[in-house]
């Protein structure tokens, strides 16, 4: 039986192809961005559950605005625009 070579990930075989993408999407920045958006979602959930009309309205507006980058997708709910 032949020994298998260790598998190399695709990005290791073609590092130049991904260099620009990684530079433009610094992993530390992307993780910080995701973390901040998760915190916003938690805060919006808390405000929605508070039942205070002004906070509920603010949370709904915030969620609509966070979803705007996806407005051009076919499955984007039209009532959010």
């Amino acid at each position: 039986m032949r020994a298998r070579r260790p598998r190399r990930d695709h990005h290791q075989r073609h590092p130049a192809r991904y260099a620009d993408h990684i530079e433009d999407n610094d992993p530390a920045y992307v993780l910080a961005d995701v973390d901040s958006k998760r915190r916003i979602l938690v805060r919006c959930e808390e405000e929605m559950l508070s039942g205070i009309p002004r906070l509920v309205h603010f949370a709904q507006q915030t969620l609509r605005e966070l979803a705007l980058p996806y407005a051009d997708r076919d499955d984007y709910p039209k009532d959010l625009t």
Side-chain angles (χ1 to χ4, degrees):
M1 182 173 195
R2 235 172 52 184
R4 288 184 141 186
R5 282 189 319 182
R7 184 172 175 218
R8 292 175 59 193
D9 290 330
H10 185 73
H11 69 278
Q12 290 174 326
R13 289 182 298 205
H14 305 285
R17 180 184 295 177
Y18 298 101
D20 289 339
H21 175 76
I22 291 170
E23 184 178 327
D24 292 343
N25 299 283
D26 174 43
Y29 171 81
V30 171
L31 290 174
D33 186 51
V34 168
D35 182 56
S36 70
K37 288 178 180 166
R38 284 183 180 158
R39 291 172 186 236
I40 292 169
L41 293 174
V42 168
R43 178 77 45 91
C44 286
E45 181 180 34
E46 292 169 353
E47 291 173 354
M48 299 278 282
L49 293 173
S50 76
I52 301 170
R54 178 179 274 177
L55 292 180
V56 170
H57 174 75
F58 178 77
Q60 290 170 336
Q61 265 319 108
T62 301
L63 294 173
R64 283 188 188 101
E65 291 166 1
L66 282 173
L68 281 176
Y70 307 99
D72 63 341
R73 298 189 181 189
D74 292 336
D75 58 347
Y76 185 83
K78 299 304 176 203
D79 61 331
L80 292 181
T81 55

